[in-house]
Amino acid sequence: MKIPIILFSEYESKRKCINFAFSDLPNNIHPTGFHRHDFYQILLLEKGSAVHTIDFETYQMEAPAASVIFPNQIHQLEFSDDAEGKYILFDETIFCSAVLANDLKEYNIDLHKKINNLSFKGHEDKFEELTSLYKDMLALYEEISPIKKMQIKFMVKIALLKLIDFSPVENLTSTSDKDLQYYILFRELVDKHYKTERKIPFYSNQIGISQKKLTSLCQQYSGTSPLNLIHDKLSLEIKKLFALQDMTLKEIAYEFGFSSQTALNKYIDAKFNMTPSELKELIVEKVNGKVKAE
């Protein structure tokens, strides 16, 4: 299946700076169908509404609202006729990943979901802080220089940190900082090993805590079980692979560490209540716009 990917190098080829760009809405950044970027994007929706589908989850956006899209997320935007807003585009060199990985680890948990869709209804003053930052960045960009470029980099990071600060943060208070670190480590291990390791003892042994303790921490910090978190990650990646690659079921089973195609079939039946062929057909139809995303 062909899902176009927009390259920042192509978008920025005739502009002033290869690290970031700014644009009013509407523009030609988005194809009408599903697509991906190799860069980060902040959408500030100032007026109107949008239906935004990101990695097969659909959000209804009503201004004022914001959305941060990460590289390679599959998404589609459908704007109302009266929609107005701003885009900030930037590459990995601008994203504050080092800060999140080190100083603000607890905010990095499920970060995609937290800032993929943010409503500022009732918090218009917070949204105005972001639009004000946009105007300041744009003014610097119009007269770009090495010093102004550095200022914009810091301002983009500030905008991101404001969005992260505004995002929902559940259950981060704990009687033990070590407990939170255990949970963060578990989520990091899941991202690294979900293809081959889907049993709880592997993760509890890697962390050095009991299975009961790990289950308790997952319930505290995410409201679900460690097994559900592993399967949620696996299920999303299976859907994305169906959308992006033309692979046989046998190849997909091997890619995700299933013992056989039959084992993959059983997993998809249990998780999605359909066969692999039905799931792939549904995803293809959604991506091609033949059915509306739920």
Side-chain angles (χ1 to χ4, degrees), residues 261-273:
Q261 181 179 325
T262 301
L264 171 66
N265 294 348
K266 288 181 178 178
Y267 176 82
I268 290 177
D269 178 60
K271 189 68 178 178
F272 301 102
N273 195 29

Side-chain angles (χ1 to χ4, degrees), residues 49-114:
S49 62
V51 178
H52 198 178
T53 301
I54 310 170
D55 285 345
F56 313 107
E57 184 167 351
T58 300
Y59 304 97
Q60 303 292 329
M61 298 181 67
E62 297 286 343
S67 176
V68 181
I69 308 302
F70 290 70
N72 288 311
Q73 285 199 296
I74 301 169
H75 81 126
Q76 180 187 42
L77 272 161
E78 299 177 61
F79 293 106
S80 64
D81 291 338
D82 62 341
E84 295 179 8
K86 313 290 186 188
Y87 286 112
I88 306 171
L89 317 178
F90 52 97
D91 64 17
E92 177 62 39
T93 63
I94 310 296
F95 188 66
C96 48
S97 54
V99 175
L100 290 165
N102 299 310
D103 301 327
L104 299 174
K105 264 191 172 184
E106 64 270 28
Y107 292 93
N108 208 8
I109 302 168
D110 288 331
L111 185 60
H112 291 64
K113 290 184 179 180
K114 289 177 183 175

Side-chain angles (χ1 to χ4, degrees), residues 19-20 22 44-46 51 72 76 80-81 95 111 121 143 164 168 180 208 212 223 231 233 236 251 255 257 286:
N19 297 109
F20 40 75
F22 305 91
L44 301 176
L45 186 64
E46 299 173 294
V51 178
N72 288 311
Q76 180 187 42
S80 64
D81 291 338
F95 188 66
L111 185 60
K121 288 280 189 180
E143 299 180 2
I164 293 167
L180 180 56
K212 183 177 179 181
H231 285 179
K233 172 68 176 177
L236 173 59
E251 289 170 332
E255 172 70 17
K286 284 183 177 181

Side-chain angles (χ1 to χ4, degrees), residues 100-147:
L100 290 165
N102 299 310
D103 301 327
L104 299 174
K105 264 191 172 184
E106 64 270 28
Y107 292 93
N108 208 8
I109 302 168
D110 288 331
L111 185 60
H112 291 64
K113 290 184 179 180
K114 289 177 183 175
I115 59 178
N116 272 165
N117 181 59
L118 293 169
S119 172
F120 285 83
K121 288 280 189 180
H123 300 276
E124 285 77 8
D125 57 329
K126 299 292 186 184
F127 189 79
E128 287 175 8
E129 290 178 13
L130 293 167
T131 56
S132 179
L133 266 174
Y134 176 91
K135 292 174 184 176
D136 292 341
M137 286 187 279
L138 186 59
L140 290 167
Y141 184 70
E142 294 298 331
E143 299 180 2
I144 199 70
S145 69
I147 294 296

Side-chain angles (χ1 to χ4, degrees), residues 1 3 55-56 74 194-196 198 228-284 287:
M1 185 189 310
I3 294 183
D55 285 345
F56 313 107
I74 301 169
Y194 74 93
K195 287 185 178 181
T196 56
R198 294 192 278 274
N228 281 342
L229 291 171
I230 296 168
H231 285 179
D232 286 347
K233 172 68 176 177
L234 175 63
S235 297
L236 173 59
E237 296 303 323
I238 288 174
K239 289 192 289 185
K240 289 173 74 173
L241 191 65
F242 276 148
L244 297 174
Q245 300 288 338
D246 188 16
M247 297 171 64
T248 67
L249 292 178
K250 184 176 181 180
E251 289 170 332
I252 292 171
Y254 178 80
E255 172 70 17
F256 289 106
F258 288 94
S259 59
S260 64
Q261 181 179 325
T262 301
L264 171 66
N265 294 348
K266 288 181 178 178
Y267 176 82
I268 290 177
D269 178 60
K271 189 68 178 178
F272 301 102
N273 195 29
M274 58 182 70
T275 67
S277 297
E278 290 169 340
L279 177 62
K280 183 170 184 177
E281 182 180 359
L282 178 63
I283 290 171
V284 170
V287 169

